[in-house]
Amino acid sequence: MSTQKKGWKDIPLGGACWKSSTEYKTGDWRSYKPVWNTEKCTRCMFCHIYCPEGAVKHNVETNEMVFDFDFCKGCGICANECPADAIEMVLEGKE
Ligand code: SF4
Ligand code: SF4
């Protein structure tokens, strides 16, 4: 096997999304869904800050964390970063 590195002409073309992420509904990727626990939640907003899709928002009127499942891709970062253990990742359809 050759150990020589390939040049840019030798590697296959990659793909790029042609739309902005606001038009590309990443919720289709999800197999696990975040389930929020209002009792445990301290409203620290870590989930809002860390979500790579901007899919978690705080509703000021109801004081609830709201998940946009059109864009939540089920990565689990919010659950991992939540210091209060207030988000559980549950298999889609089993929540
Ligand atoms: S990270 Fe956890 S405790 Fe903080 S707002 Fe989100 S769900 Fe609530
Ligand atoms: S699972 Fe991932 S995409 Fe969905 S709300 Fe949590 S951090 Fe955002």
Side-chain angles (χ1 to χ4, degrees):
M1 197 168 91
S2 170
T3 55
Q4 194 171 356
K5 286 186 179 172
K6 292 182 176 178
W8 67 271
K9 289 181 182 173
D10 305 318
I11 57 176
L13 289 174
C17 186
W18 71 100
K19 290 181 173 178
S20 82
S21 59
T22 55
E23 294 179 68
Y24 192 83
K25 293 195 173 172
T26 45
D28 288 351
W29 304 355
R30 195 176 56 252
S31 52
Y32 279 83
K33 192 173 191 174
V35 175
W36 177 67
N37 184 319
T38 186
E39 305 295 327
K40 289 184 176 178
C41 177
T42 60
R43 277 64 169 179
C44 71
M45 305 298 150
F46 273 24
C47 51
H48 168 72
I49 293 165
Y50 280 105
C51 175
E53 302 300 332
V56 195
K57 292 192 171 64
H58 179 241
N59 183 322
V60 181
E61 289 173 11
T62 62
N63 195 25
E64 291 179 327
M65 302 311 293
V66 180
F67 293 76
D68 185 342
F69 290 110
D70 278 348
F71 294 97
C72 167
K73 61 187 176 188
C75 65
I77 291 174
C78 55
N80 200 50
E81 295 298 334
C82 175
D85 199 23
I87 301 172
E88 184 186 1
M89 297 304 292
V90 177
L91 198 60
E92 187 79 27
K94 302 281 183 192
E95 65 275 12

